[in-house]
């Protein structure tokens, strides 16, 4: 199989994974793979001269788009779906212990979660989302009525 075709397959796989994660980091790597594919198809057979420009494109995109995405996230009217979970109740599906996050179902979604008080969360406990972390929700045991 030609190297340019392998680069395009890598780019397609990265794009599919990106659509599932919505982080934009894999998107930049996929674009770098497309650049490497174009170089492999039209310019050079050297693997090194395909990888280096591809990596340069990834670095430039990551460096220059981070401030732009930070600006849009902080702009008035922007609402992240995870931020809307704060204050909502959830059910513990997998227990959370000291240093190990558990799994919590909030609405129709499951999330990794840790207790803000540090106390363990047992399966079936009702919790409320207090704040969001980068990859986990911070929850507290529900003290009201369900």
């Amino acid at each position: 199989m030609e190297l340019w075709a392998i680069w395009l397959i890598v780019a397609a796989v990265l794009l599919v994974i990106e659509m599932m994660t919505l982080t934009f980091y894999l998107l930049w790597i996929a674009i770098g793979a497309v650049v490497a594919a174009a170089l492999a198809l039209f310019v050079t057979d050297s693997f090194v001269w395909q990888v280096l420009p591809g990596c340069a494109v990834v670095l430039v995109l990551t460096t220059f788009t981070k401030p732009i995405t930070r600006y849009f996230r902080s702009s008035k009217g922007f609402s992240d779906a995870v931020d809307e979970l704060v204050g909502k109740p959830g059910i513990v599906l997998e227990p959370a212990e000291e240093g190990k996050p558990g799994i919590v179902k909030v609405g129709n979604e499951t999330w990794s979660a840790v207790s803000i008080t540090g106390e363990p969360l047992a399966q079936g406990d009702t919790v409320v989302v207090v704040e969001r972390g980068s990859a986990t929700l911070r929850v507290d045991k529900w003290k009201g009525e369900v």
Side-chain angles (χ1 to χ4, degrees):
M1 181 178 283
E2 296 288 326
L3 195 54
W4 63 268
I6 294 171
W7 282 117
L8 287 180
I9 292 169
V10 167
V13 168
L14 288 169
L15 282 173
V16 169
I17 296 170
E18 172 60 40
M19 286 188 261
M20 290 188 268
T21 62
L22 301 173
T23 60
F24 282 112
Y25 295 114
L26 294 177
L27 176 63
W28 307 150
I29 298 171
I31 292 172
V34 169
V35 167
L39 289 171
L41 184 60
F42 298 116
V43 178
T44 181
D45 289 333
S46 170
F47 182 74
V48 172
W49 287 108
Q50 296 165 20
V51 170
L52 290 177
C55 288
V57 166
V58 171
L59 287 173
V60 167
L61 287 172
T62 302
T63 302
F64 290 113
T65 58
K66 187 70 171 175
I68 294 170
T69 56
R70 191 176 301 126
Y71 169 77
F72 282 119
R73 284 180 176 252
S74 66
S75 65
K76 186 176 181 179
F78 177 80
S79 170
D80 195 349
V82 180
D83 291 330
E84 295 176 7
L85 295 176
V86 173
K88 291 191 176 179
I91 301 290
V92 178
L93 299 178
E94 290 183 18
E97 301 165 358
E98 181 87 28
K100 180 182 171 261
I103 303 294
V104 175
K105 184 174 183 178
V106 180
N108 294 328
E109 301 175 343
T110 56
W111 292 88
S112 293
V114 294
S115 172
I116 60 166
T117 60
E119 63 182 292
L121 301 172
Q123 185 174 0
D125 283 351
T126 303
V127 294
V128 63
V129 178
V130 177
E131 62 184 27
R132 66 172 276 194
S134 58
T136 61
L137 298 177
R138 296 179 48 99
V139 299
D140 194 11
K141 287 192 177 181
W142 181 270
K143 298 188 177 41
E145 293 183 24
V146 180

